[in-house]
Amino acid sequence: MSLRVVVVVSTKTGTGRALGDKFCASGCGAFGGSVDFCLVDCADFVHTVLLHPRAPPCVASGSTTTPDCSSTFSSTSPSPSTSTSTSTPTPTSTPVETSGVSLEVPRSLSSDASRGDFYVFMISTVGAGQPPDSGRALFSFLSQQVEGANSSCASTSLQSGCDQPTVSSSATTAPSVLQRHKVLQHLQYCVFAIGNSTYPPAQFCAAGRKLDHMLFTLGGQRIYRLGIGDTAKDVDSAFISWLKPVLISLTKSCEALLQNNSQDEVTATEVSDDEEQGTTESSGTHDIEDSASPNVMITPSQKRVLTKEGYTVIGTHSAGKQCRWTKNALRGRGLCYKYTFYGIKSHQCMEFTPALACANKCIFCWRHHNNPVGTEWIWKVDDPAMLVEQGIQAHRDMVKPLKGVPDIVMSRYEEAFNVRHCALSLVGEPIMYPRINEFISILHSKGISTFMVTNAQMPDALQALQPVTQLYLSIDAARRETLQAIDQPLFPDFWERYLACIDIVANKKQRTVFRLTVVKEWNMDPPADYAALVKRGKPHFVEIKGATYCGGKYNPLSLANIPWHDEVLAFAKQIETELGGEYELVSEHMHSCCVLLAHKSLKRMPSCVWRTHLITPTSQRQTTQLPCRNGQNSTQPLEHVVSPH
């Protein structure tokens, strides 16, 4: 089987073309002629790959026949190469000339030989976040396919018992519904987006980001994560930083393909910089177990990266990490906002996640996206009792070395070995873990309170979740387009899932919180829009927190996007005003750049004392009644008490 890399450029001149040439030259040098490289433009890609007569049929939602795909572009593409003929498509545009690079035409994705093709897209952004003219036909085709997938998903309603209209949200049925629309399931690709940061953030590299999202939604398999190049800065340096790990990933994918060419399908998954890939047993260290067993979520190379960043990886899909507020508390230098708002002692708080994988790639995430991504659980499932025991032990092991730290408060040091709280918000999507309810029950049986954060993308799992001490929903945007830009969700029906989770929270009989992470120029949508979501979900609390800047090669944010506490406070007051007295601003934590709004039902009259703090009892059998937003009573897993602010 011959292997080749097809570099698809959106322009035949300019930065995209130059970077395409550089990629081909670097690839030829790295592979020494064992892999062919060719450079084509988007129009060639449309004709030779997407519109090939043997390509997977482009069936619209609800259709049982295959439409004439070539006619799709008759009114959208300015290029004469987009013929409306139903005969075998032939590229009318001349392939781009590249010195020393093979110009062999790419193969159809439906061809068995296409298993040896990899596609690298160099996509520029022009105007208000649009692709160049030569890329319009490609974007038109992919947009129609994604819309068809969304239409099918939206037809599946959520039976949650909510009094709001039902919407598409099933985490278990969506993958099967979308399977019919995965017309690019054999496409192995990566994207380098080119833009100019002087444009508004929502438009910066928008075309490349959208292409990456659409290809993934339609079944494409990423060989490496999205690259970002800023022409207003040093785009060449950003490209070189992205190029090296891409070539490493390509090398390992090609090696795996040659070793396993007898298999029906080889999947190239998105990995971190030096991640090894493969789906079958090979010599040396394995990243994934034998195909007869469930896959392991965290590969050895990912584990090395996470360990270097301070994580303690537990089992095959979980991790713990020591929060800096734990160290601060032990040295008498203050406690985090959870103590100010809810009475949680930082040195007795265990940061943990039972699922490192996530269904979002939020631009403000300060975990550097070194964790896996996914929309459903496909991995081995570890025992929850083991995770709890090893998680507690990991917390204690991270505390022990602090005994000799200057200014340590020994009374707190001794208390720290007795874990009283677990923050399930470290990284990933904890609600994905199939045995999450057992995990929570074990924690509660040990008198450990639980705060769980979910990204509002898995309504079925949220509906089935048993009560935790406090349930958080990440409300990162008030509008669909903002949510897509800032969270970069993997689900095509992300907005419907988002609203479904809000409706479910409105009927959860436990303490609930909406967490708003504020990023300037990205998600500071009109306060009235956020207030509408709060009124719909009726949480007990609304936390409004400024994003934390973490840098990173591919992070589109700068310090200019990180709000000051005064800006967060002002935004919170605007939302409070829009809520019309239902919620009041009750506390703030300046060092965490966080503000708390609470529902008026938590205010004791006539003393005007707010009930927000928790007391951890010795047994989960002790409960108390918490006023529900819907006028009923709900049982609180742990006792809450009056606490002034």
Side-chain angles (χ1 to χ4, degrees), residues 408-530:
I408 198 77
V409 180
M410 288 307 300
S411 60
R412 291 185 177 179
Y413 176 80
E414 294 170 357
E415 285 181 342
F417 289 92
N418 182 21
V419 176
R420 305 304 293 156
H421 179 74
C422 181
L424 297 168
S425 59
L426 180 60
V427 65
E429 179 58 90
I431 206 170
M432 283 184 74
Y433 177 44
R435 301 181 67 178
I436 187 63
N437 283 334
E438 297 173 67
F439 179 82
I440 292 169
S441 295
I442 294 171
L443 288 171
H444 287 178
S445 70
K446 295 179 179 292
I448 299 175
S449 57
T450 52
F451 282 13
M452 176 182 283
V453 179
T454 177
N455 290 321
Q457 287 296 294
M458 298 188 172
D460 279 1
L462 182 62
Q463 184 71 51
L465 182 69
Q466 73 173 47
V468 293
T469 307
Q470 197 153 283
L471 177 63
Y472 282 75
L473 206 62
S474 293
I475 303 298
D476 298 331
R479 295 178 175 179
R480 180 190 181 96
E481 60 273 16
T482 307
L483 184 66
Q484 184 172 17
I486 197 166
D487 278 6
Q488 302 184 107
L490 301 187
F491 284 109
D493 58 336
F494 61 90
W495 184 250
E496 290 76 18
R497 290 173 174 272
Y498 187 68
L499 296 180
C501 288
I502 291 174
D503 293 340
I504 291 171
V505 164
N507 289 272
K508 282 283 186 181
K509 297 182 178 180
Q510 62 169 94
R511 291 170 64 110
T512 55
V513 185
F514 275 12
R515 163 76 68 79
L516 280 64
T517 301
V518 178
V519 185
K520 288 169 62 177
E521 299 181 0
W522 279 85
N523 69 343
M524 295 184 76
D525 291 334
D529 292 349
Y530 277 108

Side-chain angles (χ1 to χ4, degrees), residues 65-315:
T65 61
T66 303
D68 175 15
C69 295
S70 57
S71 64
T72 303
F73 311 105
S74 59
S75 61
T76 58
S77 174
S79 171
S81 63
T82 54
S83 171
T84 59
S85 172
T86 58
S87 61
T88 302
T90 303
T92 57
S93 57
T94 304
V96 179
E97 299 288 342
T98 304
S99 177
V101 178
S102 169
L103 296 178
E104 194 170 354
V105 175
R107 292 168 282 223
S108 164
L109 291 180
S110 64
S111 168
D112 182 67
S114 70
R115 290 166 47 192
D117 284 349
F118 301 89
Y119 295 86
V120 179
F121 294 85
M122 303 291 172
I123 303 297
S124 300
T125 299
V126 299
Q130 303 300 316
D133 287 349
S134 63
R136 290 180 182 175
L138 172 61
F139 276 68
S140 176
F141 171 83
L142 297 177
S143 295
Q144 290 184 27
Q145 297 303 307
V146 171
E147 288 173 4
N150 287 340
S151 298
S152 290
C153 288
S155 64
T156 304
S157 62
L158 173 71
Q159 303 300 326
S160 62
C162 302
D163 52 7
Q164 301 288 344
T166 59
V167 294
S168 169
S169 53
S170 174
T172 57
T173 60
S176 61
V177 171
L178 289 176
Q179 192 64 39
R180 300 194 302 271
H181 298 273
K182 291 193 174 181
V183 295
L184 302 182
Q185 58 184 325
H186 298 300
L187 180 76
Q188 301 179 82
Y189 78 96
C190 59
V191 177
F192 188 80
I194 305 165
N196 190 307
S197 59
T198 60
Y199 282 79
Q203 298 175 12
F204 175 56
C205 290
R209 293 176 187 277
K210 183 177 181 180
L211 177 65
D212 181 67
H213 177 78
M214 292 191 295
L215 292 176
F216 186 85
T217 299
L218 295 173
Q221 306 297 319
R222 291 190 184 102
I223 55 177
Y224 195 68
R225 62 174 175 250
L226 175 70
I228 298 294
D230 186 359
T231 57
K233 299 178 182 178
D234 190 354
V235 67
D236 288 332
S237 295
F239 176 74
I240 293 300
S241 298
W242 176 81
L243 172 63
K244 181 179 178 180
V246 169
L247 291 177
I248 293 174
S249 183
L250 277 172
T251 300
K252 293 170 181 176
S253 296
C254 290
E255 289 175 353
L257 192 60
L258 291 172
Q259 292 172 2
N260 303 287
N261 57 12
S262 62
Q263 294 188 358
D264 291 332
E265 186 179 74
V266 174
T267 303
T269 57
E270 180 182 2
V271 294
S272 52
D273 288 1
D274 61 345
E275 182 176 346
E276 298 177 3
Q277 301 185 54
T279 55
T280 60
E281 187 174 357
S282 60
S283 60
T285 303
H286 308 312
D287 272 0
I288 300 180
E289 292 184 345
D290 188 271
S291 58
S293 304
N295 293 337
V296 175
M297 179 187 292
I298 303 302
T299 67
S301 52
Q302 283 179 314
K303 183 176 181 179
R304 288 193 297 270
V305 172
L306 291 168
T307 301
K308 186 176 180 180
E309 293 183 353
Y311 293 88
T312 298
V313 177
I314 298 170

Side-chain angles (χ1 to χ4, degrees), residues 350 387-397 419 446 448:
M350 176 176 74
L387 296 182
V388 171
E389 292 303 323
Q390 292 194 18
I392 293 174
Q393 186 58 48
H395 170 84
R396 292 169 177 167
D397 290 343
V419 176
K446 295 179 179 292
I448 299 175

